Amino acid sequence: MTTAPARAAAFRALDDGSFDVLREIENRVLWLSSAIVHHANRVRPNPVGLKVGGHQASSASMVSIMTTLWFRHLRPEDRVSVKPHASPVLHAINYLQGNLDARFLPTLRAFGGLQSYPSRSKDPDPVDYSTGSVGIGATATIWGAIARRYASQDAGTAAGRQYALVGDAELDEGAVWEAVLDPQVAELGELVWIVDLNRQSLDRVVPDIAADRLQGMFASAGWQVLTLKYGTLLEELFTRPGGAQLRRRIDAMPNPEYQRLLRCSAGELRERLPGAGADAGPIAALVAQLDDTTLVRALCNLGGHDLAALDDALASVDDHRPTVIFAYTVKGYGLPTQGHPQNHSSLLTEIQIHELATRIGADPARPWDAFPVGSAAGRLCADAAARRRRDPVEATPPPTVPTDIGRTPTGIATTQAALGRVLLDLTRAAPEAARRIVTVSPDVSSSTNLGGWVNKVGVWAPTERVNWFHDDAETLLHWREKPTGQHIELGIAETNLVGLLGELGATWSRWGTPLLPIGVLYDPFVQRALEPWSFGIYAGGQSILVGTPSGVTLAPEGGAHQSITTPSLGIEQPGCTTWEPAFVLDTEWTLLTAMARLGRPDGGSAYLRLSTRPVDQSLASVPADPAARERRRRQVVAGAYPLRRAEHPQVTIAAMGALVTEALAAADRLQQQGIAADVVCITSPGLLFQAISARSGHGHADTWILDQAFPASRATPLVTVLDGHPHTLAFLGGIQRVPLRTLGVTDFGQSGSLEDVYRHHGVDTDSIVRAALDLTE
């Protein structure tokens, strides 16, 4: 990585004339970002009358920061995460630098147009990080930095800074601090966060933003902390007689009082600013020396709007540790709404937008005019665009993943143990694919059966570290940390896990380095991680999330650790396929299929729900004939397969995951009573739901699996059972329109034996038999 002194030396010092050009661009960015929102709300036809929205004030507070960064400091290897509400500023800059066609500027929040918030997957102009869910955009740069470092083992990806432009309210998010405090983060010198400290939230001026406390928290985590509180005009006033008193007065002033002063005329400021007490006289004397324009301009002359101060701060970042810059700003800076406590979503009126145009030299009749090519501003835009122009990413095909390793499991085994077994088998059967695998866990690698894999491939670290327990004979998990390791261990924070997972899953599109990332966590905590993982999928990250152990099958752990609603995620989560295998071979086939879909433009993510219940693998009845085995494999990965066929079935039991054993036992008992039962093993309710929808003309999916798992010739009353909420499989009755009973878990779990817990929830063998009898008698 480029050192701070070398990087600073690369920048030509700006003279007053150059700053004038930069200010001209700053004003044009302010105009364009405001006009983009104005056009969407007040010009574009809106026959329905629904609010379109946009954030002119939130954009305005970022204009100076983003102008300095984009037109002075960004290089091709740098990446920037832009706070959600500043998306119009990003679009304005991309337009001025020639990376966005003018036809898109009037399309903010229109169908097929500019997105509400920056989006890698949907915006027509360059966006490094999708943002929109508060806090996720900031932390994404952390995981992007780690993913870049990990990927550079293969492709030598260029080093570069990871900038995050963060709204101060985002620091209220607990996920931010979970990420900042992870031990690995203090080593990421490429991180630069710039906090837009405008001291306003959506509803109000925040009474006590506690900037000193926030700065101390970052410093304690090993970050370099830079503060840009006052601009050059105020700093100069502080050196005059009465200046020290003025600084004390503003420093001690509550945020709401300061914001109110921003709304005052010069006359009102002369009356209010001195305050009371011993400092009032010197402040009044200083203020009396200033003309009205200078006085009003001075009060809002904060560091986050001072181009020179911003330029110096960005040029002096220490690249050996992460940096956070607290840039004090005014929300709505440069707009008539600046400083107003309810300006978050306020819109300029027609009169105000014309006044803004007049003040900065824009033409409302031609709102999208760029700078003339030969002008100083036009040349600076072109130079900045050329400086940060990136070479196209050359796509590398993902490794070939086998569909079947060829092993036929025997004995008693669990699907959770199968995960580690498959990973180890791949190191021998498909070493090139295995080399691309990277596993991630939040301090649960040993308890989720990854121990053998970790021992085999080692733990990733930027530099090799001493394993002080390598010669301890009683140590079973060998923690060998090295740059070639393939397991990344984080602290206990699920949001960190899936944040990193999403960025590891995006290396194929960012740097042309496809990885096969697999994250493992306890299934009850999948929902805690779901929102950031879903956002990662939206942003183009492709990964596999494994939830294990799962369900009330984790009987002794009690209700707190027993997942109920996770099985339906495959139906509900876009861009993701869910599988819940019942047997070891099902786990292998679905995991290999999921891996084969990673790192490609037409790929997607997967969620596997695994169990710690030991199951007799002979119950899988795996066909010995190669063609029949392949047919079974295709059925498993498509969502379901017939596990047992009766000669003349009177009822069908459709079971998923661990409860297939109870379903088979129930079929045996029903047979003893003269009732023949088919047993169908469900592996993916989401894929079956897509098939049913496609059969009805909604969406596109293969429907052949419905005919093989639930053929019309074998349509009988149906009992569904799973270790999760019964609604997950309730749609299956609609395949052949048969009577249906759904069994599952609808209440918090209990501690106890497996037999007791299953009986309590009505998913035991007796309950399945009773449900079948109810449907057939």
Side-chain angles (χ1 to χ4, degrees), residues 312-323:
D312 289 342
L314 289 168
S316 62
V317 167
D318 178 4
D319 283 326
H320 296 92
R321 54 178 172 158
T323 297

Side-chain angles (χ1 to χ4, degrees), residues 387-440:
R387 186 182 62 245
R388 59 183 292 261
R389 185 167 294 120
R390 299 170 184 165
D391 294 330
V393 174
E394 294 186 11
T396 300
T400 300
V401 178
T403 58
D404 188 343
I405 294 174
R407 183 190 300 272
T408 302
T410 59
I412 308 297
T414 72
T415 56
Q416 176 179 284
L419 169 67
R421 180 75 263 172
V422 173
L423 296 180
L424 287 173
D425 284 345
L426 277 173
T427 62
R428 295 181 289 272
E432 183 59 29
R435 192 172 67 87
R436 296 283 182 164
I437 295 171
V438 52
T439 56
V440 188

Side-chain angles (χ1 to χ4, degrees), residues 550-567:
S550 63
V552 299
T553 298
L554 194 62
E557 290 283 346
H561 277 180
Q562 296 173 0
S563 53
I564 297 173
T565 59
T566 51

Side-chain angles (χ1 to χ4, degrees), residues 574-648:
C576 168
T577 301
T578 292
W579 285 285
E580 184 168 346
F583 300 103
V584 167
L585 194 53
D586 296 357
T587 306
E588 175 190 309
W589 287 337
T590 55
L591 180 61
L592 293 176
T593 298
M595 292 170 63
R597 295 178 179 177
L598 301 177
R600 53 198 316 133
D602 60 344
S605 296
Y607 160 54
L608 270 65
R609 189 175 190 251
L610 306 183
S611 174
T612 50
R613 182 181 183 181
V615 173
D616 180 359
Q617 297 303 301
S618 67
L619 297 176
S621 302
V622 180
D625 179 80
R629 178 187 175 103
E630 172 59 16
R631 181 172 183 267
R632 165 69 70 84
R633 187 198 68 81
R634 293 182 67 245
Q635 291 171 338
V636 167
V637 300
Y641 61 93
L643 185 56
R644 181 179 296 181
R645 289 299 200 199
E647 185 173 353
H648 299 291

